[in-house]
Amino acid sequence: MAAKFILKTSGDQFMFNLQSGNGQTVLTSERYTTKAAATGGIASVKKNAADDRMYERTASGLRFNLKAANGQVIGVSQNYASEASAKDGMDAVKRAAAEALVDDQT
């Protein structure tokens, strides 16, 4: 299975999840007021995911954020059981984002 961004609605807003090739969600977006903004968020993830400098680990080290060049958080991870697992999650985002297709479920 190929990696994909799942674009969906949440109430009257839009959001996306990035799923790795094994179907696991590795990144979740904020909620956007327009579909165009959510699509722009996907483009930003694709652009920034390969750059180690765009990742920020939380204080516990068990969760991470992916940021855009302007410093805005564009995606957050799940909670991981260990720092090593969180690092694996970042690597999964790096591998998946560039080639992931968009599954528009809106």
Side-chain angles (χ1 to χ4, degrees):
M1 174 191 278
K4 62 184 174 180
F5 289 95
I6 299 176
L7 178 62
K8 58 187 181 179
T9 56
S10 177
D12 62 349
Q13 297 180 321
F14 298 85
M15 63 170 295
F16 61 85
N17 290 317
L18 174 59
Q19 286 187 345
S20 64
N22 66 4
Q24 185 175 25
T25 297
V26 292
L27 197 71
T28 299
S29 76
E30 65 177 333
R31 285 174 172 58
Y32 297 90
T33 57
T34 66
K35 185 175 180 178
T39 302
I42 290 171
S44 186
V45 169
K46 286 179 171 259
K47 178 180 178 182
N48 292 291
D51 189 341
D52 288 334
R53 297 171 300 166
M54 298 300 157
Y55 291 87
E56 169 187 75
R57 286 197 190 190
T58 61
S60 69
L62 303 179
R63 197 175 168 107
F64 62 86
N65 298 322
L66 176 61
K67 293 185 169 188
N70 66 3
Q72 182 177 351
V73 173
I74 50 178
V76 298
S77 73
Q78 64 179 338
N79 283 319
Y80 289 94
S82 68
E83 289 187 35
S85 295
K87 170 75 168 88
D88 291 344
M90 284 189 274
D91 291 341
V93 171
K94 291 174 190 175
R95 285 190 307 272
E99 301 300 321
L101 301 175
V102 177
D103 178 1
D104 186 344
Q105 298 182 1
T106 61

